């Protein structure tokens, strides 16, 4: 946990999001608070936090999107994984978002 900037993503399903980032993309969970729907994830030099909307702490002051898809307007780049490895991980995955 050494990055100067770590994004915290609001998610609608913390368990499903954690499964996607860890099981499909290969992130590892560095810290988690299941009762709050929160975890801190890392993959190589990339780090991010996921936080379930409506569970635990709430930082929304009316600016978060109220419906899926979330994250519109956000762009994030990570050089921890090659595009080919990411593409292969997604193709081989049995992950299916709801």
């Amino acid at each position: 946990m050494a990055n100067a900037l770590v994004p915290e993503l609001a998610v609608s399903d913390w368990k499903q999001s954690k499964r996607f980032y860890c099981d499909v993309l290969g992130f590892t969970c560095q810290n988690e608070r299941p009762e709050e729907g929160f975890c801190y994830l890392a993959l190589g030099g990339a780090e991010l936090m996921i936080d379930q909307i409506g569970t635990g702490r709430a930082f929304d002051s009316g600016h978060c999107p109220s419906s899926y898809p979330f994250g519109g307007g956000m762009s994030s780049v990570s050089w921890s994984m090659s595009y080919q490895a990411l593409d292969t991980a997604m193709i081989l995955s049995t992950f299916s978002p709801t």
Side-chain angles (χ1 to χ4, degrees), residues 36-85:
E36 294 184 17
F38 171 87
C39 62
Y40 195 108
L41 306 172
L43 174 64
E47 298 175 356
L48 62 91
M49 298 176 282
I50 55 174
D51 188 27
Q52 183 159 326
I53 298 168
T55 304
R57 303 170 300 152
F59 297 105
D60 180 22
S61 58
H63 65 281
C64 289
S66 59
S67 62
Y68 184 82
F70 303 110
M74 180 182 155
S75 178
S76 179
V77 176
S78 171
W79 300 110
S80 296
M81 179 181 244
S82 75
Y83 290 114
Q84 285 181 319

Side-chain angles (χ1 to χ4, degrees), residues 22-47:
C22 293
D23 296 349
V24 176
L25 298 183
F27 279 79
T28 58
C29 183
Q30 303 295 307
N31 183 13
E32 71 179 358
R33 295 189 299 271
E35 69 281 0
E36 294 184 17
F38 171 87
C39 62
Y40 195 108
L41 306 172
L43 174 64
E47 298 175 356

